[in-house]
Amino acid sequence: MVGIGPRRRPSRKGSMTDIPKSLLDQIKEFEDAFTVDRQKLKEIVAHFIKELEKGLSVEGGNIPMNVTWVFGFPSGDETGTFLALDMGGTNLRVCEIELTEERGEFDITQSKYRIPEELKTGTAEELWEYIADCLQQFIEYHHENEELTNLPLGFTFSYPATQEYIDHGVLQRWTKGFDIEGVEGQDVVPPFEEVLRKRGLPIKTTALINDTTGTLIASAYTDSEMKIGCIFGTGVNAAYMEHAGSVPKIAHLNLPPDTPIAINCEYGAFDNEHVVLPRTKYDIVIDRDSPRPGQQAFEKMTAGLYLGEIYRLALLDVIETKAGLIFEGQDVSKLRKPYSLDASFLSAIEEDPFENLQETQELFERVLGLKLVKAELEMCRRLAELIGTRAARLSACGVAAICTKKNIERCHVGADGSVFTKYPHFKARGAQALREILDWPDNEKDKVVIMPAEDGSGVGAALIAALTLKRVKEGNVCGIRDKNSMLTLV
């Protein structure tokens, strides 16, 4: 649970006295570039709210604000056995989830598979065949010699998709390093199901969901105070429950205005127009050299995929513009390779508990072949802190924007993703930013608490499949395309 200010290391000012002025000046440059103060945070949140509203409008905006066709939170009484498929940026996970008779309880069996790098830029057919392979292996291993029929599947497809129906989804654009031709602008479910059909696998895609929506639903299943689901990992995103009457782009459905419907914000695309985010020259280079320049502006400043690259570019900038200031006379060729450092590199630096930064020294030598003197270590440590802190503070802006827009004064926020779960001080830094943005008195506990989420991409997917079949059984088929096929599952 996050309810405290940032944990601080013991002061290192004594060490700073040994740093040459030229390096102190460089540290100051980095501090000026990466520090985001309270006023700027509030400015970002004000613009964020406008962009969220724009995304719900008929005209739309940078933030897609995708309607998910998930109507309301689970009751906690859902039961049944469901498959869940979780396709993230790095791994593929297959789960079998039994929602038990005991309220809010579940059992889970799962297997994880690494997505080969070459698949990310291969063909669509290769991707679907690989996923089907994983599903087939899972079923054959866990249900050997069993006769299975009509297994309902919740498919967590963690990429921006337009959904006119919960059991289908048109990919808007690839993110997280994927760039497979011929998939953007297409419905991803039919080719996937065709591969399943050819293999004779008894699986029916009941719900295509985003991991963030799953995080929202899974967390609410076990905690009634959950109002927002977030991902802080390879990408960044949030989902929350909106009233249908506040979503002009679905007004034509004539749903009762107070109908709750989950919105997958896809707010990694916030400020693609570069109106308010405090971009550094390194952020500009990352955007320029990315597969999708001009897109995912917010994500490129906050997500785990980019933190190591921001760090690498900053160090390279010092080497190239201030000859001899750092790593003098050493071979820096390993540092020149794009994306050779990831967020775990920064995380390891921030976790170094030694006053002499011994672990950081060993890390640089092991990964980059560089031997750093004490002053260089101090600068590298400070740069990691600045980039990590900026990511956490900016990430809090999305949560604050949703709370402000929805007039949510108190709630729990379920958060998942490698940056949230593994990056040191990320939770505390985000909590501090929320305090500053939302003006909580110093003597008052946090009103909006970001805490570890339930398994959104697994349990959440299963729950949404369960909620969908429950709606079909009740005769409510709004947002369901393959109604006849779905009826065979209930």
Side-chain angles (χ1 to χ4, degrees), residues 166-178:
I166 196 167
D167 47 343
H168 285 257
V170 175
L171 177 66
Q172 294 167 342
R173 63 185 173 282
W174 284 115
T175 56
K176 302 173 191 171
F178 274 81

Side-chain angles (χ1 to χ4, degrees), residues 275-400:
V275 173
V276 72
L277 286 174
R279 294 203 304 164
T280 65
K281 54 187 171 182
Y282 316 117
D283 301 306
I284 292 167
V285 169
I286 282 175
D287 182 45
R288 183 195 69 200
D289 295 346
S290 71
R292 297 285 187 278
Q295 295 182 15
Q296 300 300 101
F298 188 60
E299 186 165 275
K300 286 169 180 169
M301 295 176 72
T302 55
L305 181 62
Y306 303 101
L307 299 185
E309 184 65 359
I310 295 168
Y311 189 80
R312 186 190 73 85
L313 288 171
L315 289 180
L316 210 55
D317 181 41
V318 178
I319 291 166
E320 292 178 345
T321 61
K322 296 172 183 174
L325 184 60
I326 58 171
F327 317 151
E328 187 174 10
Q330 298 194 63
D331 179 6
V332 295
S333 57
K334 288 186 177 178
L335 196 59
R336 296 189 184 281
K337 184 183 175 186
Y339 291 90
S340 53
L341 305 182
D342 60 19
S344 68
F345 189 87
L346 277 70
S347 181
I349 293 170
E350 288 222 53
E351 282 181 323
D352 188 343
F354 295 106
E355 184 66 25
N356 65 357
L357 298 176
Q358 176 186 329
E359 289 184 358
T360 304
Q361 187 166 40
E362 291 168 358
L363 180 72
F364 269 83
E365 195 162 352
R366 184 173 70 252
V367 176
L368 297 169
L370 296 171
K371 293 186 177 181
L372 276 58
V373 299
K374 185 69 164 60
E376 292 169 337
L377 287 168
E378 291 290 349
M379 187 208 75
C380 289
R381 168 70 174 233
R382 184 65 182 131
L383 178 60
E385 288 175 341
L386 288 164
I387 292 171
T389 300
R390 185 187 73 159
R393 286 172 71 79
L394 289 178
S395 295
C397 292
V399 174

Side-chain angles (χ1 to χ4, degrees), residues 152 166-167 204-207 465 468-469 472-473 477 479-490:
I166 196 167
D167 47 343
K204 170 63 187 167
T205 305
T206 306
T468 303
L469 293 183
V472 171
K473 195 173 184 179
V477 292
I480 296 170
R481 182 172 181 176
D482 203 351
K483 303 173 184 68
N484 293 332
S485 189
M486 208 80 84
L487 282 166
T488 65
L489 300 177
V490 297

Side-chain angles (χ1 to χ4, degrees), residues 438-460:
L438 299 173
D439 293 319
W440 297 328
D442 290 341
N443 61 351
E444 198 165 355
K445 286 185 177 179
D446 290 1
K447 299 178 183 179
V448 177
V449 182
I450 304 177
M451 54 207 305
E454 287 292 346
D455 174 18
S457 48
V459 176

Side-chain angles (χ1 to χ4, degrees), residues 171-295:
L171 177 66
Q172 294 167 342
R173 63 185 173 282
W174 284 115
T175 56
K176 302 173 191 171
F178 274 81
D179 193 21
I180 299 173
E181 280 189 26
V183 185
E184 291 182 352
Q186 302 297 315
D187 191 335
V188 299
V189 174
F192 168 62
E193 293 218 309
E194 177 62 17
V195 171
L196 298 181
R197 187 190 63 76
K198 282 181 182 174
R199 290 171 180 248
L201 292 173
I203 297 168
K204 170 63 187 167
T205 305
T206 306
L208 185 80
I209 74 159
N210 182 273
D211 56 347
T212 321
T213 312
T215 295
L216 172 67
I217 297 302
S219 297
Y221 183 59
T222 57
D223 181 353
S224 61
E225 290 187 58
M226 286 288 176
K227 297 286 184 269
I228 300 169
C230 288
I231 302 293
F232 306 116
T234 309
V236 297
N237 195 12
Y240 72 102
M241 207 63 70
E242 187 58 88
H243 288 116
S246 299
V247 188
K249 62 185 177 184
I250 60 168
H252 61 284
L253 297 176
N254 296 315
L255 295 168
D258 60 351
T259 303
I261 187 163
I263 299 294
N264 164 30
C265 300
E266 290 296 348
Y267 67 27
F270 167 63
D271 201 29
N272 281 347
E273 294 165 333
H274 310 311
V275 173
V276 72
L277 286 174
R279 294 203 304 164
T280 65
K281 54 187 171 182
Y282 316 117
D283 301 306
I284 292 167
V285 169
I286 282 175
D287 182 45
R288 183 195 69 200
D289 295 346
S290 71
R292 297 285 187 278
Q295 295 182 15

Side-chain angles (χ1 to χ4, degrees), residues 44-252:
I44 291 167
V45 169
H47 188 60
F48 219 128
I49 295 165
K50 291 177 188 171
E51 292 293 290
L52 295 175
E53 294 281 6
K54 198 183 290 183
L56 294 172
S57 71
V58 175
E59 297 77 22
N62 284 321
I63 303 179
M65 300 297 278
N66 293 329
V67 174
T68 65
W69 309 107
V70 176
F71 292 94
F73 290 112
S75 64
D77 299 322
E78 289 74 16
T79 58
T81 301
F82 301 85
L83 284 180
L85 175 64
D86 171 19
M87 179 183 162
T90 308
N91 297 312
L92 186 76
R93 189 166 55 115
V94 181
C95 313
E96 183 174 85
I97 290 143
E98 183 186 356
L99 304 175
T100 65
E101 297 288 344
E102 195 167 341
R103 185 180 176 86
E105 296 291 325
F106 57 86
D107 294 321
I108 182 168
T109 304
Q110 59 185 326
S111 296
K112 190 179 279 190
Y113 310 86
R114 188 91 176 168
I115 299 175
E117 280 301 313
E118 59 270 20
L119 275 187
K120 295 184 179 183
T121 51
T123 68
E125 188 178 1
E126 287 168 343
L127 177 66
W128 303 133
E129 288 285 358
Y130 176 75
I131 294 172
D133 271 342
C134 297
L135 280 166
Q136 190 163 356
Q137 284 177 40
F138 182 87
I139 288 171
E140 287 174 355
Y141 182 80
H142 293 288
H143 296 281
E144 191 178 3
N145 300 323
E146 289 182 44
E147 195 67 40
L148 301 175
T149 57
N150 289 342
L151 290 170
L153 173 73
F155 184 177
T156 304
F157 184 72
S158 304
Y159 302 86
T162 304
Q163 290 186 269
E164 292 183 16
Y165 308 95
I166 196 167
D167 47 343
H168 285 257
V170 175
L171 177 66
Q172 294 167 342
R173 63 185 173 282
W174 284 115
T175 56
K176 302 173 191 171
F178 274 81
D179 193 21
I180 299 173
E181 280 189 26
V183 185
E184 291 182 352
Q186 302 297 315
D187 191 335
V188 299
V189 174
F192 168 62
E193 293 218 309
E194 177 62 17
V195 171
L196 298 181
R197 187 190 63 76
K198 282 181 182 174
R199 290 171 180 248
L201 292 173
I203 297 168
K204 170 63 187 167
T205 305
T206 306
L208 185 80
I209 74 159
N210 182 273
D211 56 347
T212 321
T213 312
T215 295
L216 172 67
I217 297 302
S219 297
Y221 183 59
T222 57
D223 181 353
S224 61
E225 290 187 58
M226 286 288 176
K227 297 286 184 269
I228 300 169
C230 288
I231 302 293
F232 306 116
T234 309
V236 297
N237 195 12
Y240 72 102
M241 207 63 70
E242 187 58 88
H243 288 116
S246 299
V247 188
K249 62 185 177 184
I250 60 168
H252 61 284

